[in-house]
Amino acid sequence: MKVLVFVVALMAVALADEECDTLTRLKVKAQWIEAYSHGAARHAFAQAIWRAMFKLSPDSLDLFKRVHASKEADHPEFIAHANRVLAGLDISISLLDQPEALKAELEHLQDQHKERHIPDEYYENFGKALLHVLPAQLGRCWDKEAWSHCYDFIVHGIRGH
Amino acid sequence: AVTTIDTQPPPRYSSSSSIIMWYLLLLVGLASAAITDPKSRRTEYHVKSQNLHLDEILEELRELEEEFDERDLEEDTKEVRMLEARISNLEAEHDPDHDHAHCEEHEAECGGDVPECVSELLFCDGVDDCNHGEDEDDDRCDPEIVHVGSSFSGIATWGACENFHPHSAVVTITAAEQNEYYPSFVRVKGILSFEEDEHTHKIKTFQLRGLYSFARHELKMGPDHGEKGHYGVKCDFNLGDNDHADCHIVLSDSRDECAHFRADRY
């Protein structure tokens, strides 16, 4: 049984890896640079994602008490946190075409998230929020499938399963 | 008046009291008729003449109103709103302190008395981001523009891409979805169609999908999934109301303009 689970898990990884393939990664990377933006626009981008996230999973606010999270996501300390999260995502996405370095970064993020016991649902909802704000920021030039596959790949690396 | 009764000769048959009584009653009746008649007529005359005066005044008033209506002084609020919109569009384009519009890319003007720019990602999401909450204003966040079935049409003038004479172009909204957890934009599907030939009325149709931004009152659509068409549409509802827009047919990849039309809602 354990072997079967392992095989299925391995297949899932292989599948996620395959769907987020080299060209897809390059596409996501390029679109991310455009969406991630800079200055005040970057704060707003982060805020929009977190507001959507907290509407999807209001309970997840408890996890971010230390950084003064609220539904409005507008406390300066939370904005700082939100930007830090995006910075982590930025590193991961930027390294999508350097598998070794990406592996190291995802392992680092995995360590940071391990003790927090974050439900899978939160990762999924963060992805949902991200995939709604991205097209608003990018307009026409974005590929939902590409993003969906590569987000799953990154989250898989952070969750470690 | 009572004297009239007294001047009548006394009844001859005083023995029959009932006859006297009837006779008296008859007299009283006649007398009263004779007394009230001239007085009521006078009153009637007064009332009539007052009514005529009133009629005359009303007639004069009607004539005055007619004269007033001919002057067409009534201010068309809709026209004023559209004029204001045109002026503010020009102000945004030709701000002397800036090369471009007052706000940065990805930002929109709050629209209050004090100029303020806020990211268009944060409009109409239930949280006040403008100083006076203008980003959550009911008028601005009204999804009426992209109600399913809304149709915007005008005469498209082609500057590139197709060798057409100016013909009708129509954009129709076929689906609209405002997400609960990310309500700042409405996801829309629609159809773009334009006449190829005005004699045969042959029409080209394209399935589109895209987003409507509350912050900018702007509808941007490109080819739907799996569609081969390479046209997109961009409509700015910046003309002061929900029924008029400045629309462009563009190449969906480069966003270069192919045609332009002033769209009215039908």
Side-chain angles (χ1 to χ4, degrees), chain A residues 84-96 98-113 154 157-158:
Chain A
R84 229 175 67 212
V85 172
L86 283 198
L89 199 57
D90 179 47
I91 295 171
S92 311
I93 293 170
S94 304
L95 293 175
L96 273 172
Q98 296 173 56
E100 293 300 310
L102 176 64
K103 195 164 168 269
E105 167 66 10
L106 291 180
E107 271 164 13
H108 168 70
L109 290 173
Q110 190 184 336
D111 280 347
Q112 286 185 331
H113 285 79
I154 289 168
I158 297 171

Side-chain angles (χ1 to χ4, degrees), chain B residues 65-81:
Chain B
E65 278 177 345
E66 230 167 57
E67 222 174 289
F68 180 77
D69 284 346
E70 271 165 28
R71 296 194 172 214
D72 195 23
L73 289 168
E74 217 154 308
E75 184 180 84
D76 190 344
T77 49
K78 202 173 165 181
E79 234 164 70
V80 172
R81 214 167 49 208

Side-chain angles (χ1 to χ4, degrees), chain A residues 34 37 40-41 44-45 47-48 51-52 55-56 72 74 128-129 132-133 135-141 144-145, chain B residues 105-107 119-122 125 127 129 179-183 185 187 209-211 221-223 225 252-253 255:
Chain A
E34 177 72 25
S37 192
F45 179 56
Q47 245 178 313
R51 279 181 192 172
K55 271 186 197 151
L56 280 163
E72 293 79 26
D74 57 358
K128 257 192 193 177
H132 266 87
V133 180
Q137 182 89 321
L138 290 168
R140 287 294 312 158
C141 289
K144 190 179 178 178
E145 277 65 46
Chain B
E105 205 195 342
H106 295 306
E107 283 185 340
S119 166
E120 64 172 334
L121 298 177
L122 304 178
D125 63 353
V127 181
D129 293 288
N179 202 287
E180 248 172 70
Y181 53 87
Y182 191 59
F185 289 75
R187 292 199 284 184
R209 72 189 179 109
L211 293 175
M221 294 199 283
H225 280 308
S252 64
D253 304 332
R255 287 157 217 204

Side-chain angles (χ1 to χ4, degrees), chain B:
Chain B
V2 183
T3 49
T4 335
I5 302 168
D6 296 337
T7 53
Q8 295 297 319
R12 272 180 283 174
Y13 311 104
S14 53
S15 55
S16 175
S17 58
S18 74
I19 289 172
I20 294 165
M21 200 190 80
W22 278 113
Y23 188 53
L24 268 173
L25 265 176
L26 182 70
L27 275 177
V28 168
L30 279 171
S32 69
I35 298 154
T36 50
D37 203 28
K39 201 181 186 182
S40 76
R41 260 201 216 159
R42 209 183 305 138
T43 319
E44 211 174 281
Y45 170 76
H46 281 310
V47 169
K48 221 180 221 172
S49 73
Q50 291 303 322
N51 269 327
L52 283 171
H53 274 306
L54 266 180
D55 284 349
E56 201 188 326
I57 291 168
L58 279 176
E59 176 65 19
E60 269 173 36
L61 190 65
R62 198 185 56 79
E63 273 168 25
L64 255 177
E65 278 177 345
E66 230 167 57
E67 222 174 289
F68 180 77
D69 284 346
E70 271 165 28
R71 296 194 172 214
D72 195 23
L73 289 168
E74 217 154 308
E75 184 180 84
D76 190 344
T77 49
K78 202 173 165 181
E79 234 164 70
V80 172
R81 214 167 49 208
M82 291 179 87
L83 178 65
E84 280 173 354
R86 283 186 67 187
I87 294 171
S88 77
N89 289 345
L90 287 172
E91 280 174 347
E93 272 172 43
H94 301 286
D95 193 332
D97 301 329
H98 299 82
D99 294 338
H100 301 291
H102 158 65
C103 294
E104 302 275 323
E105 205 195 342
H106 295 306
E107 283 185 340
E109 173 68 59
C110 283
D113 294 332
V114 183
E116 189 187 354
C117 297
V118 161
S119 166
E120 64 172 334
L121 298 177
L122 304 178
F123 277 69
C124 306
D125 63 353
V127 181
D128 288 355
D129 293 288
C130 293
N131 279 331
H132 299 287
E134 294 98 339
D135 59 318
E136 301 300 320
D137 184 72
D138 287 342
D139 266 352
R140 191 194 279 270
C141 301
D142 184 2
E144 199 243 335
I145 284 175
V146 287
H147 266 188
V148 173
S150 288
S151 214
F152 301 95
S153 60
I155 304 294
T157 320
W158 293 78
C161 313
E162 303 272 5
N163 189 19
F164 292 158
H165 289 293
H167 292 163
S168 312
V170 187
V171 175
T172 305
I173 307 295
T174 55
E177 185 196 23
Q178 191 177 13
N179 202 287
E180 248 172 70
Y181 53 87
Y182 191 59
S184 307
F185 289 75
V186 183
R187 292 199 284 184
V188 290
K189 291 207 176 202
I191 295 168
L192 162 70
S193 42
F194 47 77
E195 268 184 357
E196 261 183 81
D197 186 296
E198 65 180 318
H199 300 299
T200 58
H201 295 293
K202 197 169 175 261
I203 278 175
K204 270 193 176 182
T205 305
F206 302 89
Q207 305 260 16
L208 306 178
R209 72 189 179 109
L211 293 175
Y212 171 70
S213 157
F214 285 114
R216 292 174 188 271
H217 282 177
E218 183 182 76
L219 177 66
K220 276 184 185 168
M221 294 199 283
D224 201 353
H225 280 308
E227 287 290 312
K228 281 189 190 128
H230 48 271
Y231 287 123
V233 167
K234 179 173 166 284
C235 287
D236 286 314
F237 293 81
N238 59 0
L239 300 171
D241 66 6
N242 289 351
D243 300 329
H244 300 90
D246 205 17
C247 290
H248 305 267
I249 298 173
V250 298
L251 288 175
S252 64
D253 304 332
S254 62
R255 287 157 217 204
D256 288 337
E257 180 173 314
C258 292
H260 171 251
F261 63 103
R262 231 313 279 276
D264 295 326
R265 185 202 289 265
Y266 285 108

Side-chain angles (χ1 to χ4, degrees), chain A residues 118-150:
Chain A
I118 302 163
D120 289 357
E121 190 203 329
Y122 291 177
Y123 287 104
E124 280 162 28
N125 285 342
F126 187 85
K128 257 192 193 177
L130 177 70
L131 263 64
H132 266 87
V133 180
L134 274 170
Q137 182 89 321
L138 290 168
R140 287 294 312 158
C141 289
W142 95 293
D143 183 337
K144 190 179 178 178
E145 277 65 46
W147 272 96
S148 179
H149 294 322
C150 289

